[in-house]
Amino acid sequence: LAPLYELSFEDILDYLKRLGDRLDMATNEHLQEACRLSYRTAPTTPPIVDASFAALGAMFRPETVREMAEESIGVRYLEGWVEKELEGLRLGVRCFGARTLHIIAGNSPMISALTIIRNAVLRSDAIIKAPSNDPFTAIAIARTMIDMAPDHPITKSVSVAYWRGGDEAFEERLYQPWNIEKIMAWGGFA
């Protein structure tokens, strides 16, 4: 994670803005392919799929990302130690990234985008388990990241894969503390 901590929050916003600018359905072949394939797997109609893919780029706007980070965490906690005093005790609080597994839902392409944005803002290293009803969006965004900046620390901090959920032989090897520090799962109990 060290290379991610060499980036300022402004560097992260700049990267995400550049990525969002490239997530244009008119020009991005990866998104076009993902959208086309999603017609077969998405739990929604093609017009809703089209609208969701068309809106992806706007999620990466600096003002949108800054507001999300400020409201959920506080940018100053992402940038360094924040000193506080509580009942006579001096405390230092800071948000740190982690090696994470994101088991995301597939009911909207926006979930993939939101996961990638949050991973960058938190300076984390993520494996995104693509869902069976949208195995395309996260991969399309990751491919766009590679096209844009293959050696950038944010690009290098994202991996996307699909495997059948509940594959105990595979998951038992992956879900080890030396591989994964945190698991985030969307959806129901299953």
Side-chain angles (χ1 to χ4, degrees):
L1 301 177
L4 293 168
Y5 282 93
E6 294 174 10
L7 302 174
S8 70
F9 186 72
E10 296 303 318
D11 293 336
I12 294 168
L13 290 179
D14 178 61
Y15 176 94
L16 292 174
K17 180 193 181 308
R18 289 187 295 125
L19 178 57
D21 290 345
R22 290 174 176 250
L23 296 176
D24 178 356
M25 281 298 292
T27 58
N28 187 308
E29 293 177 9
H30 305 308
L31 280 187
Q32 292 167 0
E33 179 183 32
C35 184
R36 255 190 333 272
L37 293 170
S38 291
Y39 295 151
R40 296 179 179 188
T41 61
T44 56
T45 63
I48 292 173
V49 171
D50 290 341
S52 296
F53 273 93
L56 289 178
M59 295 175 68
F60 293 79
R61 291 184 187 139
E63 60 275 11
T64 303
V65 175
R66 182 181 299 281
E67 180 180 359
M68 179 185 68
E70 195 62 64
E71 293 296 319
S72 61
I73 302 163
V75 172
R76 61 191 184 135
Y77 295 98
L78 293 165
E79 287 289 82
W81 291 96
V82 177
E83 298 277 331
K84 293 186 170 200
E85 190 166 319
L86 180 64
E87 298 180 12
L89 297 174
R90 283 190 67 188
L91 307 171
V93 179
R94 181 171 185 171
C95 178
F96 284 98
R99 291 180 311 207
T100 59
L101 170 67
H102 297 262
I103 302 170
I104 62 173
N107 56 331
S108 170
M110 294 179 168
I111 294 170
S112 293
L114 185 58
T115 300
I116 289 168
I117 292 167
R118 287 177 175 166
N119 188 66
V121 165
L122 293 171
R123 295 177 176 98
S124 290
D125 191 24
I127 298 170
I128 300 171
K129 181 191 180 303
S132 60
N133 57 344
D134 182 14
F136 314 112
T137 306
I139 290 171
I141 296 171
R143 290 173 73 189
T144 303
M145 294 165 74
I146 292 165
D147 290 348
M148 180 181 87
D151 294 325
H152 195 282
I154 294 174
T155 302
K156 289 182 167 187
S157 72
V158 175
S159 298
V160 182
Y162 173 80
W163 65 89
R164 184 175 173 84
D167 180 341
E168 289 185 31
F170 175 75
E171 291 176 350
E172 188 174 289
R173 289 192 319 266
L174 178 63
Y175 299 175
Q176 297 297 321
W178 50 86
N179 296 328
I180 306 288
E181 295 171 316
K182 298 181 187 284
I183 299 174
M184 275 68 72
W186 294 63
F189 292 114

